[in-house]
Amino acid sequence: MNLDSSVVGLSGEVFIFDVEFRHIHQFADAIGDANPLYTDKEYAKNSKYGSIIAPPTFSVAFSGEGAELPINLDERRMLHGEQEFIYYRPIQLGDRLYCQRKISDLYEKEGKSGKMQFLVVDTEIKDEGGQMVAVNRMNIIYRGEKS
């Protein structure tokens, strides 16, 4: 295993994502969700949100963009473990989002084929005022090197 606790706390540069109608509409279409909150501007305007909002898993579509983490991982050893979305408010049409990836945890578990490391990567998503909008948390399983 070549990852150690020194990777916890590493972060990439902040990147900006401007939420446009086509982004939300295309994402809702791709996941097969016809909720009018995602596509009907008049309907959404009269909702408690006051405008179009994005589906709950929308942030996965842009959290892979932007600055990379300052860590060299062997992609052949990586598996997507789990995904979690922590929302403080819905993402809305017109939001300018400031996003930054951070390594928030690293731990090990014994698997059938040996030790595996679990790398927890958070993409923090804030609005223009610096308020937290959401955290997109991804758990990467980092398998041991084959002998």
Side-chain angles (χ1 to χ4, degrees), residues 108-125:
E108 287 186 0
K109 285 187 177 180
E110 192 68 36
K112 291 181 183 178
S113 59
K115 284 189 181 185
M116 298 182 297
Q117 292 183 302
F118 292 78
L119 189 66
V120 181
V121 179
D122 289 345
T123 301
E124 293 182 351
I125 303 165

Side-chain angles (χ1 to χ4, degrees), residues 14-52:
V14 173
F15 63 95
I16 297 172
F17 184 80
D18 291 314
V19 181
E20 298 175 8
F21 179 73
R22 70 179 177 86
H23 297 139
I24 296 172
H25 188 274
Q26 288 172 342
F27 187 84
D29 189 47
I31 63 172
D33 194 332
N35 187 328
L37 285 171
Y38 310 146
T39 58
D40 185 330
K41 291 180 181 179
E42 193 61 34
Y43 179 88
K45 179 181 170 186
N46 295 312
S47 74
K48 69 179 183 178
Y49 304 107
S51 73
I52 294 278

Side-chain angles (χ1 to χ4, degrees), residues 33-117:
D33 194 332
N35 187 328
L37 285 171
Y38 310 146
T39 58
D40 185 330
K41 291 180 181 179
E42 193 61 34
Y43 179 88
K45 179 181 170 186
N46 295 312
S47 74
K48 69 179 183 178
Y49 304 107
S51 73
I52 294 278
I53 63 169
T57 57
F58 177 72
S59 63
V60 77
F62 63 85
S63 62
E65 293 185 12
E68 295 298 319
L69 288 166
I71 183 174
N72 189 16
L73 296 172
D74 181 352
E75 292 183 8
R76 297 171 296 176
R77 295 172 50 198
M78 294 170 54
L79 292 171
H80 184 271
E82 61 184 37
Q83 193 81 36
E84 180 180 2
F85 302 91
I86 304 161
Y87 276 91
Y88 298 88
R89 71 161 176 83
I91 293 174
Q92 294 186 278
L93 177 63
D95 276 344
R96 172 165 267 203
L97 302 173
Y98 294 79
C99 311
Q100 186 176 35
R101 277 194 210 96
K102 298 179 179 184
I103 297 175
S104 60
D105 198 8
L106 175 70
Y107 59 93
E108 287 186 0
K109 285 187 177 180
E110 192 68 36
K112 291 181 183 178
S113 59
K115 284 189 181 185
M116 298 182 297
Q117 292 183 302

